[in-house]
Every structure is written in structure tokens, then in C-alpha cells.
Amino acid sequence: MALLGETGRLDRRTMLKGAAALGGVALASPAIISARGETPVKIGMVDPLTGAYAANAQNEVTGAKLAVSQLNAKGGILGRPIELLVEDSANDVGTGVQKARKLTERDEVSFLIGDVNSAVAQAIAQVSNEKKILHIVSGGHTDTITGKDCKWNVYRVCNTTTMEANSICSTLFEKYGKKWYFITPDYAYGHTLQAAAEADLKKLGGTTSGAELTPLGTTDFSAFLIKARAANPDVILVLVQGSDMVNCLKQITQFGLNTQVHVAGLQQELEALEGMPPEARIGVWMFEWYWKQPGVSGVDQFVADIRKVNNGKVPTARHWFGYTSVQTIVGVANQQKTLDSLKLAKALGNFELPPEVRLQPNKCYYREGDHQLMTSAFIGEAQAEGKDDPEDLFRVDKVIAGDKDAPPVDETGCKLQWPA
Amino acid sequence: MTQLLLFNVTNGLIIGAFYVLMALGLSLILNLSNVINFAHGGFLVIGGYIAYSVTPYVGFWGALLVAPPLTALIGFVVERILIRPLYGRDPLYGLLLTFGLAFMIEDGTRFIWGAQGKPVSVPAVLAHPLSAQFFFLTGYRLFMVAAALAVVALLFALLRYTKLGVRIRAGTLDLETVSALGVNVQALRSLNFAAGVFLAGLSGVLAAGQLGLEPTMGTGLLMPSFVAIIVGGVGSLTGTLIGGLLIGVASGLTAVFLPAASEAVIYVLMALILLLRPRGLFGEEGMMT
């Protein structure tokens, strides 16, 4: 029964053309922060300001901008102002590469930062390597970036997926049991995170009950959860991130699955916890950085500074990633008194972050062999409501130093090839 | 295994019911106004955010009543100002306009409410599963299906038995004659557009209860709705209804065997339908020009 009849000039082909057009991407102009009138030193930043990781990306950019304004007030980079050029990768590899090329070729940036998405980060590392410029991966976690695909010019601030797994798997095993079921995002990050967790689980004597590879941007997790429940695991580990994490945990708690099996995960972020209702904030997780660290030097000041530029809200790990990425580049350039990427990349091996940048109790340094920052893992439990502050949604139980949970360099698969 | 399949078919129907709600709105606008409304996902998001903003004052049920008409009002204004000048032109103009509008709405919501997702809770009375075994049948999901069914029944009755409905149906067949008979076609189109956007707004309020409310949430829901229309057959509301349910079930069943393909399967289904029956399951002969 067709209630409505002929549609006139509109046909199916037009509909299909329209559907194809949805794949198109808008190019936005870069947001520019400039300092004084002298020739500035340009730093390019590529991050997914739109798409599933938009909140994380915007926070990285806010952190980076704070670092730029603070450093410019202190004399900039080698006495020249720093200019940050931000481009949106739209959570898409092709767009990310295009933007990285635009920044390096047209804007002639001296350094590159980005991306939140592992796959995009990996792809733009190819571009920065080809252009021979120092590149700091701020927030893409997949192992291979500082593993088998490591590059002389690429350093990374956030944890590797193996570091994340190593920091928390024994805690999860002791607390929840030995049969694990994974809800994993189907791209580079998810694949390596699950592999690392399974390797740890095997060492601990546990078994994988099953794993669901879910497409990035999945809105409805019910079909996966039905399968997960049928496998009868001790714990369901949620590895998806961003809005996928919010959707998944929200649906888990509405289904009451958390009353039947344990639910936890590996990496958790404040952005996701804030986006879900209180009842969905459950389980043990690892945070890569947390804003409440009583007695740790500089943290309160950083929190106060971010609040000023972030509508009064506290910094997340992402703010710290962006902040640290800029601080790393400028710090090492001012120390070495050069903008030469090769010299700076050499100097960053074993470069230690000063207390006002590291903002955590443990020593924090880039490892020479794989260019990975040895940064801490904050292990604890999600809290439904903040006690003193509505944004205090995580209780930190222990902080593990990065070099305690990172595998030795020879196990990462990284073999750095330096230019002649 | 049988139980798993049965669970997933039921679950697929629930998801499909939601796609139907969204796709019917699209279909209404498409049929009468010849506009492929790419901003439909955006209107869904607006509905969700309006609900989020009014919930502290009027509660969830109040938001459910208030947000869809307010979204429809925005749709009405958009039709008057932006869509109306494009009638009579190639449908690609409308498509491009709404495509751009979708970006503007996404960035607009990000500007007003922030990129950070907003927490939305569903009423406690609906927040529980009916039984431990059928955990995926929560009060809220059944409510969503009931709401979708009620709206579909209402819409069909409206189109069949009211003067406005008859005019809308007549308009989709031959707008010129309807106009010659003295019907205010402009007003008819505005009302029809607003009704379509009303359905998007309602979908937004319902979705916000189950998904994370953030500026991009509409994008993920828009494509399945388009697929539902193409599978069901452009021009047929019944087709849209069946198409929506079909892709929900296909997606649910694929998740059992090949989870990573659970999203791709709906496009495979669309490709198959287009190959075997190019006008869609319920599309009428000769409708495609």
C-alpha cells in the first residue's frame, strides 16, 4: 500500500547522489593564535575537532593554547613568538593527511602535533617523516606508533596500549575474575589494546570468553551485549572510547547487565564520564592523568589556569596531553637553542619533563629507544557523583610510573632509522 | 543459538522501530516537498538538546511533550526562510542546502552546548529490564517502540482520514491541480515540513535517553534512515516502515555472526535491493523519473 504517490522530479539516483555527498568533508580555515609582531615560529596541530572524539580533541587544543600563551608571555621559542595553527582531521585518515600536508607545505610549520585518533596519528606521522619535521603524537595510543612503525622524528605523550593494559590487568584479574569478554572498537587502537590485555590475561592464567569488534561510531550496542551476556564471562571489558563508551555503558546499566556480570575496562576519560548519567559511572579503570593530585607540585596551578579558559571546568588528561606536547617542543628547542628537527629529535631522547609540566608524582621522560613518554597510569574506580566537586568522578587508588608498565624497548618492535 | 537468534531478531525490531520514526519524517518531507533533508539528523539533535535543557524544569515527560513541537517550530521557520525559495528548482539545490544546514546545526549545537556530551537519564520507572533473562527488553526501549507505533498509527490515520492528510497525499500526486483547486500549497508544504521535523525532534528526545547526547549523534542515525527509505521504496510510507524494521533485524542478525559488519550489512542490503528491485520493495512503477 503506497499512501503517497509520485514524487515528481525527484528520483532514486538523486537520493543516491545525496547519500554519496554525505561522505564529503568541509574544509575549515585554521584557528590561529599569534603573539608579537616578530616572525613567529609555527606549530601545526591536527586533531578531530568534529566527530566522535571532538570533546577530547577540543580539550587537547585548549591545553596546547594555554601552553602557547604561557610560553609566549615568557619569551616564546628562542625569543620568537609561537603561533599555533589548528586543523580539523574530522576523525578521518584522508582528511588528517590532507590537513597535515597543508600545514607542512602551505603554512610551512616547523613542528607538528596530533592526533587523538590512532589511525590518523599514524598516517600523519608518515607526512611529518617525509617532511623531516619533529612530530609529537599527543593522544593516539596504538602501540605501533612507538613500536614497529616508530620514526626518528615522532615522539608520543600519551600511553601505548600495552602500557595501559600492563598498568591495570592484574588489578582487574584480582578484582573481577579470570573470564574476560571484550567490547573492542574496530580500528588500530582497539586491536592493539585488546591484544595487549589478552597477552596479560594469558600470563595471569585467565581466558578470553569472547570479543566483539564494534564499528567506530556504533550507537546501539544491544546486539553485542546480548552475545556478551550469553558467553557468561566474569567481567565485560569496555574498550570503546568517546561517545561509543557513553552509549555502551549507558545501555549496559539500562539493561541491568552490571548487576549480572562485572563491567569495567582499561582506559577511561573524564570527557566520557561527564557525558553519561551517574548510574552509568561504574567499574575500575585507568586514567592517564587526573586533575586531583593532592600535594603534587604545580597541579593546582594548572587546574586553576585551565579553569580560566575552559568555562570553569577542570582539565582532563587531554588538556595535559596538548599542554605537554607544546611544552616539550618549546622546552627542548630553548634548551638546545635550535629549531632543527633532527637535532631536537636527538636531544629529546631521555629528555625529562620539568615538575611544572609533568604534573604527576613520578619521573616523566621520553625513552630514547622508542620515543615514548614514560608517563604514569592512575588506577582507580569511577564514581557516580563527585564528593567535593561535581567533576571529581574518579577515585585514584594508585599511581604507577610509566617505566614500570612499559615493555622493554626490544619488545616494542621499534627500530629507529635516523637520516644520514 | 536459537535463543540468541530470537533475541537478536526481537532486538533488531526494536532498533528498526526507531529508524522507522526517523525515516517517516524524512519520507514525509521528501514526498511532498521534494527535499532530501540531510539536516534531519541535525533536527534530531536539536530535539535532544531542547529536551536536555527543559528537563530540569519540566521533567522527562514534560520534555517529551515540549521538545518535539519546539523543534517543529524551528523546522517551520527553516522551511519558510531557507527551503521555500528552492521549490521548483532541481532537487540537488535542496539537498546541498540541507547538507550545509546539517553542518551548521552540528557546529551550532557545539557552540551553544559544548562538544562535551551531556548526561541524560531516563525516568526511574522505565530504567529497568523486565526480566534478568530478557534484559534487552527494558521499560524504556518498549516505551520507545510503543511511542513509535503510536505515532506511525496517528500519522497514517491523519493522512487517510483528515482533510489535511488528503491534501498532503493529493499534493504528492499532483501539486498543480491541488493548487488550482484553491488549496494553499505554501501552507501545506510548511505544515508538512514541520510535521516531518516534529518526528525528528521526537526521535531526538527518545534517542537522548538511550544514547550519549552530543552534537554528532544525528549523523550515525541519519544514514540508516535513508537506507530504510531506499530499501522500502521512495514514495511509500509503508515501504519506509518495512524498510526500517528490515534493516534493524539485518543489523541485529549480522551482529551474531560477523559483528564488525553489523553496520555495513544495511548497505549491502540496499545494494541488493537496488539490483533486484530498483524502485525498492514498495516503490511504485513509473515513480522514478
Side-chain angles (χ1 to χ4, degrees):
Chain A
M1 178 183 66
L3 276 180
L4 298 188
E6 188 160 340
T7 55
R9 294 169 316 282
L10 185 65
D11 61 12
R12 173 176 41 88
R13 287 202 176 81
T14 316
M15 281 280 290
L16 288 173
K17 274 185 219 162
L22 195 68
V25 175
L27 303 177
S29 355
I32 300 177
I33 296 184
S34 35
R36 297 169 306 226
E38 303 152 41
T39 324
V41 174
K42 292 178 188 168
I43 301 178
M45 186 163 187
V46 181
D47 244 355
L49 298 171
T50 50
Y53 296 149
N56 307 52
Q58 294 205 345
N59 288 344
E60 284 193 2
V61 170
T62 304
K65 284 180 176 174
L66 176 71
V68 168
S69 65
Q70 285 182 351
L71 289 163
N72 274 339
K74 283 190 210 158
I77 189 166
L78 307 181
R80 288 163 62 187
I82 307 155
E83 185 175 283
L84 187 71
L85 277 71
V86 182
E87 289 283 355
D88 179 12
S89 68
N91 217 15
D92 174 76
V93 172
T95 312
V97 167
Q98 192 188 353
K99 296 296 178 72
R101 289 209 174 276
K102 186 223 161 222
L103 284 169
T104 49
E105 288 166 8
R106 203 167 83 197
D107 300 321
E108 297 180 326
V109 297
S110 305
F111 310 104
L112 199 63
I113 296 173
D115 185 290
V116 168
N117 180 315
S118 286
V120 179
Q122 209 147 21
I124 62 176
Q126 296 278 7
V127 178
S128 65
N129 187 253
E130 181 193 315
K131 303 288 173 194
K132 296 188 173 58
I133 62 170
L134 179 63
H135 175 186
I136 309 283
V137 173
S138 45
H141 296 80
T142 198
D143 277 347
T144 49
I145 292 171
T146 49
K148 71 177 175 52
D149 294 327
C150 69
K151 295 179 171 51
W152 68 266
N153 66 312
V154 178
Y155 278 79
R156 167 158 58 188
V157 172
C158 70
N159 284 266
T160 68
T161 43
T162 298
M163 286 168 75
E164 294 191 320
N166 291 351
S167 72
I168 191 173
C169 280
S170 58
T171 309
L172 293 172
F173 189 83
E174 283 159 24
K175 195 169 166 71
Y176 295 127
K178 59 182 183 183
K179 285 190 294 176
W180 294 7
Y181 201 102
F182 297 95
I183 307 272
T184 307
D186 191 9
Y187 76 107
Y189 164 78
H191 298 169
T192 52
L193 185 60
Q194 187 190 320
E198 283 187 301
D200 284 344
L201 179 64
K202 204 172 162 192
K203 276 185 217 152
L204 292 163
T207 51
T208 305
S209 300
E212 298 295 328
L213 281 179
T214 64
L216 189 60
T218 297
T219 47
D220 195 291
F221 284 87
S222 50
F224 307 116
L225 297 175
I226 288 172
K227 271 184 86 182
R229 180 67 195 89
N232 201 23
D234 290 326
V235 59
I236 296 174
L237 294 175
V238 179
L239 307 191
V240 293
Q241 294 293 319
S243 42
D244 291 12
M245 164 86 82
V246 176
N247 293 341
C248 190
L249 280 177
K250 214 167 160 176
Q251 285 159 30
I252 282 175
T253 43
Q254 281 186 8
F255 291 164
L257 272 185
N258 53 320
T259 60
Q260 300 180 21
V261 276
H262 295 297
V263 177
L266 277 73
Q267 180 193 314
Q268 182 58 282
E269 306 203 46
L270 196 56
E271 286 89 345
L273 288 183
E274 288 191 331
M276 51 183 95
E279 62 272 15
R281 296 170 188 145
I282 51 171
V284 165
W285 308 86
M286 69 87 67
F287 261 59
E288 294 181 85
W289 186 86
Y290 197 62
W291 64 275
K292 211 168 188 185
Q293 299 184 55
V296 177
S297 146
V299 175
D300 289 347
Q301 185 59 47
F302 181 65
V303 173
D305 290 341
I306 285 286
R307 276 193 199 269
K308 279 182 212 151
V309 290
N310 196 35
N311 299 323
K313 290 170 72 85
V314 298
T316 70
R318 297 289 169 179
H319 287 103
W320 183 75
F321 292 163
Y323 182 79
T324 302
S325 299
V326 172
Q327 288 280 2
T328 296
I329 292 171
V330 179
V332 73
N334 282 343
Q335 184 198 61
Q336 298 296 313
K337 306 210 172 354
T338 176
L339 295 176
D340 183 275
S341 278
L342 182 59
K343 285 181 188 152
L344 294 180
K346 285 243 161 80
L348 269 179
N350 290 328
F351 180 84
E352 194 181 331
L353 296 180
E356 68 274 16
V357 178
R358 77 166 188 240
L359 304 174
Q360 51 186 285
N362 302 307
K363 184 180 164 184
C364 195
Y365 62 99
Y366 291 96
R367 195 158 65 171
E368 195 174 14
D370 60 354
H371 291 184
Q372 173 61 42
L373 185 66
M374 295 294 109
T375 178
S376 299
F378 298 70
I379 311 294
E381 197 158 350
Q383 307 192 103
E385 308 273 3
K387 284 193 188 72
D388 306 322
D389 189 301
E391 289 189 272
D392 188 14
L393 299 177
F394 188 67
R395 188 196 65 234
V396 179
D397 293 333
K398 56 182 171 185
V399 183
I400 302 171
D403 43 14
K404 296 278 188 297
D405 56 37
V409 173
D410 53 14
E411 282 179 24
T412 62
C414 169
K415 289 189 177 60
L416 291 165
Q417 303 280 337
W418 292 87
Chain B
M1 192 64 190
T2 323
Q3 195 194 28
L4 200 59
L5 284 176
L6 205 66
F7 273 23
N8 272 295
V9 170
T10 320
N11 188 49
L13 285 171
I14 297 176
I15 301 169
F18 181 79
Y19 290 149
V20 167
L21 199 59
M22 180 121 173
L24 279 178
L26 270 174
S27 219
L28 266 183
I29 295 171
L30 182 63
N31 291 337
L32 186 70
S33 308
N34 279 328
V35 172
I36 302 173
N37 184 17
F38 265 106
H40 212 66
F43 288 117
L44 174 141
V45 173
I46 291 178
Y49 272 104
I50 292 179
Y52 166 79
S53 301
V54 300
T55 299
Y57 310 102
V58 295
F60 175 82
W61 301 107
L64 193 65
L65 288 177
V66 172
L70 281 178
T71 317
L73 188 68
I74 295 173
F76 186 83
V77 174
V78 165
E79 196 271 347
R80 280 282 163 121
I81 298 172
L82 298 173
I83 310 282
R84 181 166 292 182
L86 301 180
Y87 291 138
R89 292 191 185 218
D90 190 300
L92 276 173
Y93 283 87
L95 187 146
L96 287 172
L97 179 101
T98 53
F99 189 62
L101 193 61
F103 279 108
M104 288 172 67
I105 293 177
E106 187 186 314
D107 259 352
T109 46
R110 198 173 282 129
F111 181 74
I112 299 172
W113 285 281
Q116 173 75 57
K118 299 289 181 196
V120 177
S121 293
V122 299
V125 62
L126 295 177
H128 304 289
L130 299 189
S131 78
Q133 199 191 356
F134 299 102
F135 60 84
F136 59 92
L137 295 177
T138 63
Y140 189 74
R141 298 185 99 208
L142 292 181
F143 170 72
M144 273 172 67
V145 173
L149 287 178
V151 168
V152 170
L154 204 70
L155 182 69
F156 276 50
L158 184 101
L159 288 173
R160 182 133 288 231
Y161 301 112
T162 68
K163 199 177 264 183
L164 177 70
V166 171
R167 284 175 177 171
I168 288 177
R169 282 195 294 146
T172 59
L173 286 168
D174 189 344
L175 203 59
E176 267 179 39
T177 312
V178 172
S179 174
L181 288 172
V183 174
N184 184 344
V185 171
Q186 300 281 30
L188 195 64
R189 276 175 158 162
S190 298
L191 278 177
N192 181 67
F193 193 90
V197 172
F198 178 91
L199 293 181
L202 180 65
S203 313
V205 186
L206 291 174
Q210 232 199 337
L211 310 176
L213 177 60
E214 42 102 25
T216 57
M217 76 183 284
T219 322
L221 299 170
L222 182 64
M223 281 316 282
S225 310
F226 271 119
V227 174
I229 294 179
I230 294 172
V231 166
V234 176
S236 163
L237 287 191
T238 313
T240 304
L241 178 68
I242 305 288
L245 295 177
L246 205 61
I247 60 168
V249 172
S251 176
L253 282 180
T254 312
V256 181
F257 303 106
L258 191 60
S262 61
E263 298 223 328
V265 70
I266 63 170
Y267 301 103
V268 174
L269 187 70
M270 180 175 81
L272 279 177
I273 296 275
L274 285 173
L275 279 174
L276 299 174
R277 195 178 156 82
R279 59 179 180 272
L281 292 177
F282 290 78
E284 293 204 333
E285 190 85 58
M287 255 180 47
M288 314 297 176
T289 50

